[in-house]
Amino acid sequence: MSQAHTRQTHIHDHKVVATAPREASPIHDDFWVASGHHLVDRDAQGGLVITDAFLAAYLARPELVPPEEACPVERGLHASLLAEPRRAIPPDELALVADEDARENLDCFLAFRDHLLAHPTLEAAYLALVTRGKPRLPVIFMGHLAHVIARNAFDEVSDGWALRAAECFYRAQRLTFHEGRALLADAETIETHEHDRTHSPLLSMLGGPAVSELEVLNDVNAGTYRARSDAHDLVLDITDLAGGRAAMARAMTRWIAHLTGIAIEFTPVERFSDRDFGWFLSLDQDGTAFANKVWRGEALDDDEAARVLALFTFTLPDHPRLEAGKRGASGFAVLGSSADRFVRIKPQNLIAGLPLAAGE
């Protein structure tokens, strides 16, 4: 990067930073604290309403905090936004920031902020992004919105299986096959374990996949999920229809219902029967490629078939927000994995992929 001073990182590449916790719920342990849900309000319908505190939290991120060498304009802009996070910043004022990366980071943040402020709730802002696609924002903002909205959608859920499955909506997973099981572990957690092993001769000698050092979710420890959720240290076994796949189905149902009010029940299956399908959904980029081939009646090759982690069937309900001609149609959904065994779910696909009626 060519710049007057060393920028810590670029906003397009950075991870979500955890924010300070609020008091635990009197009913359940607080969970997904890093979503920042304690910094927003709720409207009468339960939607998340933006606050100055929520916006100010972004200004504390390393991409936006000016370093000591930053120009006076950058420092002044940052200070003014901290004092008044909704203040309009004219383009000519932003153009005076000397550092190119700083200008771009601020521009990304301001576009995100203005989009949120243009909608009554974070849910409405998210729906506008995934159904109309404007403005185009860095992936980090989409992930953070999915995180905080999922925290709202699952607020009263005590089902640790469904919560762990929904964690995949905003955090990349590493797929490992261990003792005949297909296991999804948090990619960042696995990266940390592999780093520690590399720097520890003893761990290196012990060998075995890093996922084997983590705890696999089961019916016993699922009750502890909420209390330990931000550690991202529970592995989801996606092998069984009644286990991880059923949990993913429940998470998908709740996510769609929260954002659209449409209740779609997903049923995990091992393979498709001869039923005729009138629609399909995919949970990730690789799943989209596989689903398109299935939709066209083409067979998956051995490598592609091995990368299909889960299949689901569903029926589109008779709901006014769906196209009239698609109501009652049978559909299928696909969860895939990349060639390098990463699973990156795009929860927006579950909304944007629906046959929503005109104007919805």
Side-chain angles (χ1 to χ4, degrees), residues 275-276 278 314-319 322-331:
R275 62 193 287 188
D276 292 328
F314 61 90
T315 299
L316 291 171
D318 184 9
H319 194 284
L322 295 174
E323 291 179 13
K326 293 299 182 182
R327 299 171 197 170
S330 294

Side-chain angles (χ1 to χ4, degrees), residues 59-70:
L59 295 165
R61 294 182 59 86
E63 305 94 336
L64 294 176
V65 174
E68 292 183 4
E69 319 86 77

